[in-house]
Amino acid sequence: MYIYLKLLFILLITSLQVVNSELLKNPHCAVSKKLDEQCGGYCYGIVKPLLQYAASIRSKENQFSELIDKIQNLKATIKMLKSQIELSNKHTNNCLTNNELKDSNEVLVDKIQYMIFAKNNNEAQLNTELRNRDSEILELKARDIANSAKIKELEKSLLEQNTKIIENLDSSCIGKLTNIYDIKVPGTSFFAVPCDSSLAGSGWMVVQRRQDGTENFNRTWEDYRLGFGNLHAEFFIGLEKLYLLTQSQPHELYIYLKDFNNQVRYARYSKFLIGREEENFKLKSLGKYSGNADDGMAGHINMEFSTPDKDHDTGSQHCAQEYKSGWWFHKCYTSNLNGEYRTTRLDQLYGIDWFKWHKESLKFVQMMIRPTNKKA
């Protein structure tokens, strides 16, 4: 059926093309009439409606094409609008995101600005405190500079005082009990001495002791220079040590005396000093006397020390050899605390003597020295 219609449609088109050709050649009604007559009633009666239908179809086709174009245009417009909508939506989403980011950034900016403000405020406070501290430091420095000389002078004075205190403690019996201690003075190494705090107060150093005759005092110059005996009993400290001690700082001398009746006397001298060996350990100073035994040492001042083997006495008599001891003899003596120890009353003359008290030899004698610049 479809093929038949298609063939008929082609035939009609061909016929229409012939008629149209003739019409184009002779566009007069007479020609049309003539054609009608040639085709005959039957042929023309069928073909003519078909031609009209074909024309109508062609018109519809044109309309359809126009609609198709419109539809295509609409589709293109819709597509374009969709693209615009998507772009708009995307832009909108981006805008929302940017707004959110903007809000977040604004919060961060506020926080950062607050932190910067706090930091600046803290720095300002710190700078103020630092300036205040700088002012205080400058003021203190100014005071230090103004008082530096006084401070140095005080430090020097304190150092000297501390040095003296330490020297006193190390070179004397100051602060020590009755016992044997090691001491040191300039020019010597440490050496042992007996300290006594029982007979005349504390801080005294024993330099000579006589108590029972167990030690021989008829000794040479060298023995008296170096010292001899037992520190716990009878002994002599030695002239060299005695010189260094009295030379290092001012000393006083205390002499404790006891006879065989157990009567006690003492003699005290405020400034005791002897010379060096080149001066034969001369008795250079005694100072002021005090006590109750009378002054038995005054006659020996400025006398050089003599021993049985070295006589430095100014008289013609060899006193040290005659009285078997070492002492500061002067024609011979008013006192001789290093004489022979005598125990019987009939044999007490010219023994351990202190003639200013009495003529009998003594039972106990102890010579002690102590620094005068720091008494205990």
Side-chain angles (χ1 to χ4, degrees):
M1 183 68 179
Y2 175 74
I3 296 172
Y4 173 75
L5 290 173
K6 188 174 181 180
L7 290 174
L8 180 61
F9 182 75
I10 292 170
L11 179 60
L12 288 173
I13 294 300
T14 304
S15 298
L16 288 171
Q17 287 176 350
V18 173
V19 173
N20 288 335
S21 177
E22 289 296 330
L23 286 173
L24 290 171
K25 292 178 180 179
N26 298 296
H28 299 293
C29 293
V31 176
S32 179
K33 185 178 179 180
K34 185 179 180 179
L35 289 173
D36 285 339
E37 290 178 354
Q38 289 178 356
C39 186
Y42 179 77
C43 180
Y44 186 74
I46 295 171
V47 174
K48 188 175 182 178
L50 289 173
L51 291 173
Q52 292 176 348
Y53 179 74
S56 174
I57 290 299
R58 191 171 184 178
S59 176
K60 296 294 185 182
E61 286 178 354
N62 291 332
Q63 293 178 1
F64 183 75
S65 295
E66 291 177 358
L67 290 173
I68 291 299
D69 291 337
K70 290 181 180 180
I71 290 170
Q72 293 297 328
N73 291 333
L74 289 173
K75 284 182 178 181
T77 302
I78 291 169
K79 186 176 181 181
M80 181 184 69
L81 292 173
K82 284 183 177 180
S83 298
Q84 291 179 351
I85 291 170
E86 290 177 358
L87 182 63
S88 177
N89 290 334
K90 185 176 181 181
H91 178 70
T92 301
N93 292 333
N94 288 337
C95 289
L96 291 173
T97 304
N98 288 336
N99 287 334
E100 292 175 357
L101 290 173
K102 182 178 179 182
D103 293 340
S104 178
N105 288 337
E106 287 178 354
V107 172
L108 289 174
V109 168
D110 290 340
K111 290 182 178 179
I112 292 170
Q113 288 178 344
Y114 175 77
M115 292 172 67
I116 291 172
F117 172 77
K119 176 179 174 293
N120 292 335
N121 189 37
N122 290 335
E123 286 181 352
Q125 292 179 356
L126 182 59
N127 289 332
T128 301
E129 291 179 2
L130 288 174
R131 284 194 294 270
N132 292 336
R133 295 293 182 271
D134 289 340
S135 298
E136 292 176 1
I137 290 171
L138 289 174
E139 184 178 354
L140 289 174
K141 284 183 177 180
R143 292 178 182 175
D144 288 342
I145 292 171
N147 296 326
S148 60
K150 293 182 179 179
I151 292 172
K152 289 180 180 179
E153 185 177 350
L154 287 173
E155 288 177 349
K156 183 178 179 181
S157 177
L158 288 173
L159 180 60
E160 291 176 353
Q161 290 179 11
N162 290 336
T163 302
K164 287 180 180 179
I165 290 171
I166 292 171
E167 288 177 352
N168 286 337
L169 292 175
D170 288 343
S171 64
S172 71
C173 288
I174 298 297
K176 297 177 176 63
L177 301 175
T178 301
N179 208 338
I180 306 299
Y181 295 91
D182 288 333
I183 67 165
K184 185 181 185 307
V185 292
T188 70
S189 56
F190 279 94
F191 59 91
V193 297
C195 296
D196 190 294
S197 298
S198 62
L199 296 181
S202 63
W204 292 100
M205 181 189 301
V206 182
V207 296
Q208 186 257 28
R209 184 188 296 123
R210 307 297 302 277
Q211 65 183 25
D212 53 16
T214 56
E215 189 66 43
N216 179 21
F217 276 72
N218 186 14
R219 312 291 285 256
T220 66
W221 177 266
E222 189 66 11
D223 287 341
Y224 271 99
R225 185 180 74 83
L226 296 177
F228 55 87
N230 185 342
L231 297 178
H232 295 278
E234 293 194 332
F235 85 102
F236 183 76
I237 193 171
L239 293 167
E240 185 66 31
K241 295 185 183 74
L242 194 59
Y243 159 70
L244 292 172
L245 283 164
T246 60
Q247 185 71 22
S248 66
Q249 55 184 321
H251 278 75
E252 58 179 327
L253 172 66
Y254 190 98
I255 300 175
Y256 181 89
L257 308 169
K258 180 189 288 187
D259 65 12
F260 280 91
N261 295 322
N262 290 324
Q263 294 184 38
V264 174
R265 296 286 187 274
Y266 77 94
R268 188 169 185 170
Y269 298 91
S270 62
K271 188 178 180 181
F272 177 62
L273 176 65
I274 69 171
R276 65 176 69 90
E277 185 175 11
E278 290 78 6
E279 299 171 292
N280 295 318
F281 304 110
K282 178 191 292 187
L283 181 59
K284 301 178 80 170
S285 174
L286 285 169
K288 185 178 179 181
Y289 163 82
S290 62
N292 57 7
D294 288 336
D295 186 358
M297 293 289 290
H300 299 273
I301 191 71
N302 292 321
M303 290 294 102
E304 297 175 0
F305 200 83
S306 294
T307 58
D309 61 333
K310 282 193 176 184
D311 182 20
H312 300 116
D313 189 0
T314 58
S316 59
Q317 189 177 1
H318 193 341
C319 300
Q321 193 174 67
E322 182 176 350
Y323 295 103
K324 301 177 181 180
S325 67
W327 195 248
W328 293 277
F329 287 109
H330 176 53
K331 297 179 182 180
C332 286
Y333 65 83
T334 56
S335 66
N336 177 19
L337 302 182
N338 290 332
E340 289 185 290
Y341 195 89
R342 302 178 183 273
T343 58
T344 64
R345 291 183 62 85
L346 296 177
D347 195 27
Q348 286 182 348
L349 188 62
Y350 305 120
I352 303 172
D353 295 326
W354 191 271
F355 285 161
K356 291 292 183 175
W357 181 13
H358 54 59
K359 301 296 182 180
E360 296 178 355
S361 183
L362 300 175
K363 177 182 179 182
F364 182 91
V365 172
Q366 185 161 292
M367 298 175 67
M368 303 182 293
I369 62 172
R370 182 173 69 177
T372 57
N373 59 351
K374 182 65 176 180
K375 294 183 180 181

